Amino acid sequence: MSALPSMSGKDDATGLKAYDVVVVGAGFAGMYMLHRLRGQGLKARVYEQGGDVGGTWYWNRYPGARCDVESMQYSYSFSDELQQEWNWSERYAPQPEILKYANHVADRFNLRGDIQLNTRVDRAVFDEDTNTWAVATSDGKTVTAKFVVLATGCLSNARVPDIRGLKDFRGEVYHTGHWPHESVDFTGLRVGVIGTGSSAIQSVPVIAQQARHLTVFQRTPNFSIPAWNAELTAEEREAFRKNYPEIRRFAREEARNGIYAELPDRGALDDGDNARRAKYEQRWEKGGLTFMLAYNNLILDKAANDTAADFVRDKIAEIVKDPETAKLLQPDNHPIGSKRICVDTEYYATFNRPNVTLVDIRASGIEAILPNAVRTGAKDYEIDALVLATGFDAMTGSVARIDIRGRGEKTLNQKWAEGPKTYLGLMSEGFPNLFIVTGPGSPSVLSNMIVSIEQHVDWITDCLSWMRGRGFGTMEASKEAEDKWVAHVNEVAQLTLYPQANSWYMGANIPGKPRIFMPYIGGVGVYRRICDDVAAKGYEGFAMTAKERAQAAVAS
Ligand code: NAP
């Protein structure tokens, strides 16, 4: 296999340790990237700020944390041995099991030697004379690399809202996205949860079982579909394993969201009321994210969407006994699916428990946190512990925390001040040899993340091999290609109902963040074909510079 000339981690002329590639993050993206780079004979170094591998699954260890994609599918496909030998225990694996899987992968593929834990990448500066990146880390060291790959994750920068008095609270404050590693016991405590997104919807039922009293502060209700989680039988696992070639192919090429599932062949308004209700009932009974696949126009046509939203609102009213609470839990300000659908176990039913209270803060917000209470609507709710299930600075947050400087010392944050700009979500013009895995402008969070991660990592690896084969040393997205892609991403999003919601997809959960629909909505199959086509045309839209030419330019 061809490879870039490896610098084998030796010191370069500046005396700094030199790598072919620095990878930021050792989650599922960073680990697979390292595996593929090694396969090319490249010397790579992975920096991970966490104390172990696993990325989002290292940090998100709140009670009830699970993946919302079924585990037989939320798993790597690059190694058939791996997918045949690993035994997922449940339909939706709990976080500890996903983390165990990540650790298993690190050991099985012998990755740990090139992963430096507990080390944040603080700064990456492109040197236009040498066409290398200088990467500074939190241990005070600087290394150089020909390429940098940001495998920083889309939902890894936990967001603590700016609420008055938060720091004066006397009890413990937890964030679902940054949960402590030691066990947290709420037994006998009055607990407050702020937020009602996926993380709250998973944790509320579990916390309610422990806490003396649980008060949930809700600003916006969300649609949630039951997971119907259960243990996987040996037969179920075997059925997947036997059919993995087709399941994985379908997920990559045909499913828009990277999940193998029965696809709809008609729109919601093509069926009469009874048939439609039966279809929704069937999808509800199946459970999970694929509820939105009941019909093919649910995210395109508001009238169609309303039928699905009404169905779920009716379900909420059936489950929740107190009509006032049921009403508050019924989402009414966004189309179903325009925010990520939640997948739960007994979320709505939890509000029937005598020790759980739902507080509507839509009008007043949280006015203040007092040393022993949450104040809202001029009323104080006494609590002993507070859980912030307040989400993430999604998609760009983790990238923005790194001081990245490209050509002319321009920072990526300056360039993205009005919203992220990328070509294919993979590269940003002005930042040569800097790749982003599942970056904004790619399907990423609208898909089974592992499908999208594998596609990006494979594409990047093939690209590096292609460059080496032709003597290219530098690659950069062209402004024209990037502008066209950004416009296309926006244009496609506007054809759907997604922009109608104040979602983190739109950056709407972060005050001051530009309102731009960040992921690419065209579907993983379409997107893969576009990326493959770009590669087949000699990486159309990317400027490649030959190593010799770059060196000659430096010399003159
Ligand atoms: P989220 O969906 O952004 O939800 C955050 C919640 O906090 C919202 O209800 C939000 O209300 C509320 N909130 C934020 N700031 C607030 C404030 N100042 N005062 C009151 N309420 C406030 O975050 P998340 O639940 O962590 O989920 C984020 C994403 O992570 C999910 O969409 C999903 O993609 C992923 N995730 C996946 C899983 C899984 O695989 N099962 C589990 C958890 C998370 P507003 O809506 O009114 O802003």
Side-chain angles (χ1 to χ4, degrees):
M1 192 179 287
S2 61
L4 289 160
S6 176
M7 290 188 259
S8 306
K10 289 197 192 101
D11 293 356
D12 70 5
T14 59
L16 300 175
K17 195 99 175 154
Y19 294 97
D20 296 319
V21 187
V22 157
V23 179
V24 190
F28 282 103
M31 285 201 295
Y32 181 45
M33 190 75 243
L34 174 61
H35 177 64
R36 290 299 319 267
L37 291 170
R38 278 188 178 169
Q40 298 268 311
L42 295 175
K43 181 70 187 169
R45 184 77 170 165
V46 181
Y47 294 102
E48 165 55 56
Q49 65 176 337
D52 212 336
V53 298
T56 199
W57 299 106
Y58 175 82
W59 300 106
N60 281 266
R61 24 179 103 213
Y62 57 84
R66 284 172 197 283
C67 187
D68 57 7
V69 175
E70 295 185 30
S71 301
M72 293 303 292
Q73 301 206 53
Y74 187 85
S75 47
Y76 287 121
S77 70
F78 70 84
S79 159
D80 193 47
E81 293 79 21
L82 175 66
Q83 68 185 7
Q84 295 298 333
E85 78 196 8
W86 182 263
N87 278 323
W88 291 109
S89 66
E90 297 175 50
R91 184 177 174 195
Y92 297 97
Q95 173 271 338
E97 190 171 336
I98 304 175
L99 192 57
K100 201 167 148 202
Y101 173 74
N103 276 276
H104 170 74
V105 170
D107 293 332
R108 194 189 188 289
F109 296 95
N110 197 21
L111 300 176
R112 294 192 192 272
D114 289 322
I115 300 175
Q116 185 172 325
L117 300 171
N118 298 306
T119 311
R120 223 180 37 246
V121 168
D122 290 329
R123 200 171 142 91
V125 180
F126 187 69
D127 182 332
E128 294 185 62
D129 292 337
T130 58
N131 288 317
T132 53
W133 285 91
V135 179
T137 46
S138 56
D139 58 355
K141 302 212 167 106
T142 299
V143 299
T144 65
K146 291 289 297 169
F147 295 88
V148 172
V149 178
L150 300 175
T152 40
C154 296
L155 294 159
S156 42
N157 193 0
R159 179 186 165 254
V160 175
D162 189 12
I163 304 177
R164 189 157 59 90
L166 188 55
K167 64 174 187 346
D168 302 325
F169 183 64
R170 273 205 303 260
E172 295 292 339
V173 179
Y174 305 97
H175 193 294
T176 45
H178 209 120
W179 202 260
H181 285 234
E182 53 285 358
S183 81
V184 175
D185 186 1
F186 291 116
T187 307
L189 300 184
R190 293 164 304 175
V191 181
V193 172
I194 298 180
T196 49
S198 293
S199 303
I201 280 175
Q202 287 188 332
S203 55
V204 156
V206 184
I207 297 173
Q209 286 168 25
Q210 272 184 8
R212 172 146 63 100
H213 195 90
L214 172 62
T215 309
V216 179
F217 298 92
Q218 172 186 273
R219 192 162 65 183
T220 312
N222 276 300
F223 291 99
S224 189
I225 307 296
W228 308 122
N229 185 41
E231 276 185 23
L232 277 174
T233 63
E235 293 72 39
E236 283 167 329
R237 275 195 297 265
E238 204 38 43
F240 262 96
R241 285 181 179 143
K242 272 213 313 261
N243 294 310
Y244 257 142
E246 173 54 14
I247 289 171
R248 300 298 201 184
R249 185 204 64 76
F250 186 95
R252 287 184 196 119
E253 295 173 14
E254 288 186 45
R256 295 171 63 80
N257 61 5
I259 299 174
Y260 177 82
E262 195 187 332
L263 296 184
D265 59 359
R266 57 174 61 206
L269 306 178
D270 297 335
D271 273 341
D273 284 354
N274 289 345
R276 196 165 48 233
R277 188 154 183 100
K279 179 71 71 66
Y280 288 141
E281 201 64 64
Q282 197 190 349
R283 289 280 177 171
W284 179 271
E285 283 311 316
K286 205 165 166 46
L289 292 176
T290 57
F291 178 82
M292 289 302 288
L293 294 177
Y295 291 105
N296 61 18
N297 60 347
L298 292 183
I299 205 63
L300 298 172
D301 178 332
K302 181 65 170 54
N305 186 285
D306 285 344
T307 64
D310 284 344
F311 175 86
V312 176
R313 283 190 280 262
D314 288 351
K315 282 287 181 194
I316 297 170
E318 269 171 38
I319 298 167
V320 180
K321 294 194 180 115
D322 172 44
E324 226 172 278
T325 306
K327 182 104 194 85
L328 286 178
L329 286 166
Q330 289 172 325
D332 60 2
N333 74 347
H334 61 279
I336 185 169
S338 60
K339 285 183 163 195
R340 172 104 168 183
I341 281 251
C342 304
V343 177
D344 73 277
T345 298
E346 301 278 300
Y347 175 66
Y348 295 120
T350 295
F351 293 92
N352 293 331
R353 293 176 65 105
N355 70 332
V356 177
T357 309
L358 181 69
V359 177
D360 177 21
I361 57 166
R362 201 182 299 211
S364 59
I366 304 280
E367 282 154 37
I369 307 289
L370 309 180
N372 64 341
V374 175
R375 175 170 294 170
T376 174
K379 200 169 162 199
D380 296 346
Y381 296 85
E382 285 197 13
I383 54 165
D384 308 304
L386 179 62
V387 174
L388 301 173
T390 45
F392 302 88
D393 184 355
M395 302 205 72
T396 54
S398 298
V399 174
R401 282 174 64 180
I402 308 170
D403 182 9
I404 299 172
R405 290 165 191 261
R407 287 198 192 285
E409 283 269 313
K410 186 171 181 177
T411 70
L412 194 63
N413 286 335
Q414 283 164 344
K415 176 163 179 197
W416 287 8
E418 278 156 28
K421 291 192 177 69
T422 68
Y423 178 34
L424 299 173
L426 277 160
M427 279 194 142
S428 193
E429 175 265 335
F431 297 82
N433 291 2
L434 178 79
F435 292 103
I436 313 166
V437 180
T438 64
S442 73
S444 58
V445 290
L446 296 177
S447 69
N448 176 351
M449 284 302 291
I450 300 199
V451 169
S452 287
I453 284 170
E454 288 190 331
Q455 185 245 335
H456 266 187
V457 168
D458 290 342
W459 192 92
I460 294 167
T461 313
D462 290 348
C463 173
L464 294 183
S465 169
W466 186 93
M467 288 175 75
R468 154 84 170 102
R470 284 155 186 81
F472 289 119
T474 313
M475 171 184 190
E476 182 177 353
S478 79
K479 174 130 180 28
E480 190 195 359
E482 180 172 287
D483 286 348
K484 264 168 101 174
W485 184 252
V486 170
H488 175 63
V489 170
N490 268 303
E491 193 179 60
V492 185
Q494 296 307 324
L495 298 174
T496 72
L497 303 175
Y498 278 98
Q500 294 188 16
N502 288 322
S503 65
W504 55 259
Y505 295 138
M506 298 285 296
N509 64 329
I510 305 291
K513 192 164 172 173
R515 259 188 95 100
I516 298 229
F517 192 78
M518 293 184 281
Y520 177 57
I521 215 168
V524 296
V526 168
Y527 174 78
R528 178 182 294 266
R529 286 191 283 283
I530 295 171
C531 290
D532 288 350
D533 192 46
V534 163
K537 289 179 177 153
Y539 294 90
E540 189 178 46
F542 292 99
M544 298 276 181
T545 315
K547 204 165 166 273
E548 307 75 59
R549 257 191 282 149
Q551 277 164 356
V554 174
S556 62

